[in-house]
Amino acid sequence: MARRGLELTPFRGLRYDPDRVGSLASVTSPPYDVVVRPDGVHHLQSADPHNIVRLILPEAHTPSERTEQAADTLRRWLAEGILAADPEPALYVYEQSDGEGMLQRGVIGTLRVSEPAEGVVLPHEGVMAPVVAERAALMRATRANLEPLLLTYRGDGTAAEVVERTAEKPPLLATTTEDGFRHRLWAITDATDVARIQSGLAHHQALIADGHHRWATYLRLRDEQSAPGPWDYGLVLLVDTARYPLRVRAIHRLLHGLPVADALAAVEGLFQVRHLQVPLAEALAALADASCAGNAFLLAGDGAFHLLDRPDPALLARAIPADRPAAWRSLDATVLHAALLEHVWHIPEDSPAHIAYIHDTAATVAKAERDGGTAVLMHPVREEVVRDLARQGVTMPRKSTSFGPKPASGLVLRALEI
């Protein structure tokens, strides 16, 4: 039997009524795990009382209160017409551009949830069980997929032809968010066009670019059901990177309670350390240069930058499992987690009390300086390395990459009962 490929289906998108909110831009948010809490949450909440952050990152004293609050908010917004379902099922073409030559287009739909062993949707990072539990509780309570995760595939042009033809028409919505990105959305309801997209995806596999925890949540919620139903599918954005290559950036670490001086003292004799009194951009350039020769990290938090490179081979031999592919063993994230976090600094990687994962470089440095912790700045991994490891079934350390641009949350949602 031939292997099943990507199975994307139309759905009735749930969208904001532009006449009921301040602006479409003011109700959007970055994905939940990109928002820097609490500063980012408060900023988005103040942008508009109906900002999507109130659903994806509800604020209350206990986890159960948070999920109940999100469910109540969603029900109220539906009853008040703040959010309304489109009249018929559709696939949605979604476009992002930045005015500087970056253009990304993809298709939003509901994708059949599949196990990694099926080889249809390939994860490349591990997940943290508490985060999956949190997302699952939120989805159960709201009975909704509140934001699409980002998948990439290498297409043959069949779906892309429909996408690009659709993008020549007037969009359902267009808005520019405060980061300067322009977002446009179109609905595809024509049965022939839908079928062409579905056939163009049917023999392909996809890589999870952003949203490993949400995909793991989809799997958990599907497995909880006793019969086939809406939980067999999850909301995704599929981007053909043969046509629209994504940017790959690093995700940085903020180590709470570890002053830079202590971090540096612990690595003495295990890494070469160079102290840099330069601006952030120059420090990142030095990190990029050092990364060409091997593992390198940039520590910050005390008003300066400290470049760590040339790790002690004995430390790597002692800390990194020898039974994994060489490409995995040489990853910066592998060396950071297996050698530095575990063996040198003794920091549990899955404890929010000890470590935070932050996408924005300047924000990571600023928070480390403000809180007295250590920022560990990373250099990004190449996309081909990520894809090759995923095809081998090799999982990278969690939060190893940041693909982008990521879809804005709040432009189209999926309610399971609609």
Side-chain angles (χ1 to χ4, degrees), residues 76-124:
R76 186 174 70 254
W77 289 359
L78 288 168
E80 295 174 354
I82 304 299
L83 288 167
D86 284 334
E88 56 184 319
L91 297 177
Y92 295 86
V93 171
Y94 175 47
E95 177 189 278
Q96 294 163 277
S97 58
D98 66 358
E100 299 179 0
M102 194 291 299
L103 176 67
Q104 177 176 290
R105 291 176 180 147
V107 181
I108 296 175
T110 59
L111 188 71
R112 181 181 70 86
V113 177
S114 59
E115 300 286 347
E118 293 184 48
V120 177
V121 175
L122 305 175
H124 69 269

Side-chain angles (χ1 to χ4, degrees), residues 104-349:
Q104 177 176 290
R105 291 176 180 147
V107 181
I108 296 175
T110 59
L111 188 71
R112 181 181 70 86
V113 177
S114 59
E115 300 286 347
E118 293 184 48
V120 177
V121 175
L122 305 175
H124 69 269
E125 292 181 356
V127 297
M128 293 174 274
V131 178
V132 175
E134 174 193 63
R135 291 294 105 186
L138 183 64
M139 289 189 205
R140 280 193 214 99
T142 58
R143 295 194 63 79
N145 299 150
L146 299 172
E147 47 186 347
L149 54 86
L150 175 62
L151 304 181
T152 73
Y153 74 103
R154 306 286 291 180
D156 58 12
T158 303
E161 184 274 326
V162 180
V163 167
E164 293 174 11
R165 177 162 40 82
T166 301
E168 296 174 357
K169 303 174 183 178
L172 282 177
L173 65 85
T175 190
T176 301
T177 45
E178 66 178 5
D179 57 5
F181 274 83
R182 179 173 173 81
H183 308 261
R184 298 200 294 169
L185 192 76
W186 297 260
I188 299 176
T189 57
D190 178 80
T192 300
D193 283 343
V194 169
R196 282 183 62 80
I197 289 177
Q198 290 173 325
S199 66
L201 297 171
H203 303 293
H204 291 286
Q205 60 182 190
L207 176 73
I208 301 177
D210 185 69
H212 283 81
H213 289 90
R214 280 167 284 168
W215 186 257
T217 302
Y218 291 169
L219 283 164
R220 173 181 291 193
L221 294 173
R222 182 204 64 179
D223 291 345
E224 290 175 357
Q225 311 309 309
S226 58
W231 291 112
D232 292 345
Y233 292 80
L235 187 63
V236 305
L237 166 65
L238 275 162
V239 174
D240 181 354
T241 52
R243 188 66 60 97
Y244 299 106
L246 269 68
R247 298 171 176 173
V248 186
R249 293 191 170 99
I251 302 177
H252 310 296
R253 277 67 171 159
L254 174 61
L255 309 182
H256 303 298
L258 179 66
V260 174
D262 293 350
L264 292 172
V267 300
E268 186 176 354
L270 300 175
F271 281 78
Q272 173 179 274
V273 180
R274 284 176 278 167
H275 305 286
L276 308 175
Q277 290 286 349
V278 297
L280 175 59
E282 291 184 30
L284 291 173
L287 174 63
D289 288 342
S291 295
C292 293
N295 302 115
F297 310 94
L298 202 60
L299 304 191
D302 62 351
F305 296 99
H306 311 273
L307 182 65
L308 275 59
D309 64 354
R310 301 184 185 179
D312 177 21
L315 169 66
L316 301 185
R318 183 169 67 249
I320 297 176
D323 60 347
R324 307 297 293 276
W328 180 88
R329 298 177 72 242
S330 63
L331 289 170
D332 286 342
T334 298
V335 173
L336 172 63
H337 285 255
L340 281 169
L341 292 182
E342 182 175 350
H343 278 74
V344 177
W345 292 326
H346 308 292
I347 293 176
E349 64 179 0

Side-chain angles (χ1 to χ4, degrees), residues 32-85:
Y32 80 95
D33 58 336
V34 179
V35 178
V36 178
R37 298 182 239 191
D39 301 358
V41 173
H42 296 159
H43 171 72
L44 292 164
Q45 286 178 339
S46 64
D48 190 286
H50 301 107
N51 189 283
I52 190 69
V53 79
R54 296 181 184 273
L55 299 181
I56 62 175
L57 287 174
E59 290 198 304
H61 294 296
T62 68
S64 61
E65 288 176 343
R66 287 194 288 272
T67 56
E68 182 179 342
Q69 180 185 98
D72 289 345
T73 300
L74 179 57
R75 282 192 292 266
R76 186 174 70 254
W77 289 359
L78 288 168
E80 295 174 354
I82 304 299
L83 288 167

